[in-house]
Amino acid sequence: MNVIGMISGTSYDAIEAVALQLTLRERTVHARLLGHVSVPYAADLRSRVAQLLPPQTTTIDEVCRLDTLIGQSFAEVAASLAQSCFSGDVDVVCSHGQTVFHWVENGHARGTLQIGQGAWISEATGATVVADVRSRDVAAGGHGAPLASLIDVLLLGRRPARVRGALNLGGISNITVVGPSRDPIAYDIGPANALMDAAVTWLSDGAQTYDREGSSAARGRVDEVLLAEFLAEPYYDAPAPKSTGKELFHLKYLTSHLGERQVSHDDIVATLCELTARTVAREVRDQGVSELFVSGGGTRNPVLMQAIRRNLADDATSISLIDDFGIPEAAKEATLFALIGFLSVQGLEGSIASCTGAQHAVVLGAIIPGRQLITALDESLAPVNLVFETEGSGEFS
Ligand SMILES: Nc1ncnc2c1ncn2[C@@H]1O[C@H](COP(=O)(O)OP(=O)(O)O)[C@@H](O)[C@H]1O
Ligand SMILES: [Mg+2]
């Protein structure tokens, strides 16, 4: 099946899209990655998304307008990828869209809203579109996150001989843990780049939106007193399953912790970088992870990666990129959604209840029919493996 997966993450930096040929044979998904693009949002659209997100308030007409504009942007990317990779012949597009609000109350997800109307994608490509991928899991009592647990469990194995973790460093950090004698678990750890990005954007008056190559963090020194205050955040001690987002970790959160304190710009960024490293390292250690596979934009920040390694130096944890499984780290999230679309149109479950905290696994998403309807398969055919048929792939044990 020719499938496109797409997402703009919590960092709303770019639309990530992949084109994959997916085949299900004997409970293994065989994947061929034909294309991956990262298309930055137009500057105007990006600043309107920023204006929409908490703690800002918005209007329902702006929500409608951005739902259309984001849907059209996704549609344009999907159509061009469909053309270049499938000569226009794409069966399924699964679009995560843009999260604008993730409603968590008393440790439970109550609702989640992703915008970017999928009808535009269907109209532009003729494909069956799967959108609104998180809501059904929320309705089943789950957090609707981290959905990455699906691809993580398929790649790392449901019960590998050693404890393995898959860590994604996007706006938020999340982890999936699998091991020999446990059900897989997954949860959001805390801010990965969200607070660093907020700090850099604020301190540079918008001239920069992230700490490129970690240069500011490298110049700064960690302010241990400030760091201790950040680490006192109750979210970190809350039990999994749990999810969070920019509803909590936004600029006001940062400035209220800073208060009247005089801290240099570089020291602020260095401290936030260390906050990400410490919170991540703590979970990796507490979960007894011996092999960690990392993905997301944070892997491109050498200072952050170095800080994570330093914080785990006493533990026997090997750290590598998810690329070891044949999938470039930057394409992982979009690939997840391609996989979800592939399963959903065939009536197969895409969530892992022990990871999202739901009562049971569900078929994810809302479907917008395309040119042709796709036949549902029996759940007994559901895959238990994912293999990338690209260079560097293969069984990994
Ligand atoms: N070269 C780089 N140097 C430092 N940070 C980077 C670099 N490239 C990406 N990032 C960080 O990664 C973030 C985007 O990561 P991404 O995985 O796309 O997150 P999301 O899924 O939340 O959109 C950027 O906002 C930035 O903070
Ligand atoms: Mg992104």
Side-chain angles (χ1 to χ4, degrees):
M1 199 180 289
N2 292 346
V3 186
I4 288 176
M6 22 187 14
I7 177 172
S8 165
T10 46
S11 305
Y12 57 97
D13 52 328
I15 299 172
E16 306 288 339
V18 292
L20 289 159
Q21 233 161 32
L22 297 176
T23 317
L24 178 58
R25 278 199 309 272
E26 289 165 11
R27 306 203 71 182
T28 294
V29 179
H30 296 262
R32 263 166 47 89
L33 180 62
L34 300 184
H36 167 221
V37 290
S38 177
V39 183
Y41 271 143
D44 172 58
L45 186 57
R46 180 157 209 251
S47 67
R48 282 174 73 174
V49 173
Q51 292 302 311
L52 189 80
L53 296 176
Q56 268 80 237
T57 51
T58 186
T59 59
I60 195 67
D61 46 325
E62 182 65 359
V63 173
C64 176
R65 290 193 181 100
L66 283 179
D67 189 39
T68 293
L69 293 173
I70 293 172
Q72 289 172 335
S73 301
F74 273 67
E76 209 176 296
V77 174
S80 113
L81 203 57
Q83 205 54 50
S84 59
C85 296
F86 302 128
S87 305
D89 185 18
V90 56
D91 302 301
V92 175
V93 180
C94 177
S95 169
H96 172 273
Q98 179 69 57
T99 294
V100 289
F101 197 76
H102 188 65
W103 178 20
V104 179
E105 227 171 73
N106 302 325
H108 291 279
R110 309 282 299 278
T112 186
L113 183 61
Q114 287 76 43
I115 63 172
Q117 176 51 253
W120 295 98
I121 304 172
S122 193
E123 187 62 22
T125 60
T128 297
V129 171
V130 179
D132 191 14
V133 287
R134 298 190 188 272
S135 293
R136 180 70 193 277
D137 183 73
V138 170
H143 276 267
L147 295 181
S149 46
L150 170 75
I151 188 167
D152 293 339
V153 169
L154 287 173
L155 287 174
L156 274 54
R158 187 170 277 263
R159 286 184 190 274
R162 300 172 70 194
V163 179
R164 290 172 147 184
L167 172 71
N168 190 64
L169 299 170
I172 300 295
S173 53
N174 60 62
I175 192 166
T176 302
V177 184
V178 288
S181 51
R182 55 199 290 177
D183 281 336
I185 56 165
Y187 50 95
D188 288 340
I189 295 174
N193 295 297
L195 291 180
M196 279 193 277
D197 286 358
V200 170
T201 308
W202 171 52
L203 298 170
S204 71
D205 270 333
Q208 286 154 12
T209 54
Y210 68 100
D211 185 21
R212 199 179 183 90
E213 313 306 324
S215 59
S216 171
R219 284 191 303 269
R221 280 196 13 242
V222 175
D223 182 323
E224 289 291 344
V225 178
L226 180 59
L227 177 61
E229 271 187 35
F230 281 124
L231 285 169
E233 165 59 51
Y235 178 81
Y236 304 134
D237 291 323
K242 58 180 176 176
S243 59
T244 188
K246 288 195 161 174
E247 300 72 27
L248 178 59
F249 297 112
H250 48 49
L251 180 60
K252 271 199 188 146
Y253 177 94
L254 166 63
T255 53
S256 72
H257 278 75
L258 272 175
E260 297 300 305
R261 211 188 301 264
Q262 294 301 314
V263 187
S264 81
H265 292 186
D266 290 337
D267 289 2
I268 293 173
V269 180
T271 304
L272 293 171
C273 185
E274 187 66 16
L275 172 67
T276 300
R278 294 255 182 114
T279 49
V280 160
R282 188 179 106 171
E283 299 307 318
V284 171
R285 188 176 310 122
D286 288 358
Q287 298 292 346
V289 171
S290 58
E291 295 173 333
L292 186 68
F293 301 94
V294 195
S295 60
T299 61
R300 284 160 253 152
N301 180 337
V303 181
L304 173 60
M305 291 305 288
Q306 193 47 45
I308 292 174
R309 286 180 198 282
R310 173 170 35 77
N311 276 285
L312 287 169
D314 295 338
D315 302 68
T317 311
S318 73
I319 302 176
S320 41
L321 293 180
I322 196 78
D323 302 47
D324 286 7
F325 290 92
I327 170 86
E329 61 80 13
K332 182 188 158 191
E333 290 252 286
T335 299
L336 161 69
F337 294 105
L339 205 53
I340 288 174
F342 176 71
L343 296 176
S344 293
V345 295
Q346 298 179 95
L348 298 174
E349 291 165 353
S351 63
I352 297 176
S354 63
C355 291
T356 62
Q359 306 292 327
H360 51 86
V362 294
V363 180
L364 295 169
I367 293 179
I368 300 166
R371 266 183 261 97
Q372 64 198 40
L373 292 173
I374 295 161
T375 321
L377 296 180
D378 190 90
E379 192 65 34
S380 66
L381 300 171
V384 291
N385 267 312
L386 169 65
V387 175
F388 282 92
E389 297 177 342
T390 50
E391 264 182 17
S393 71
E395 295 299 330
F396 200 88
S397 58

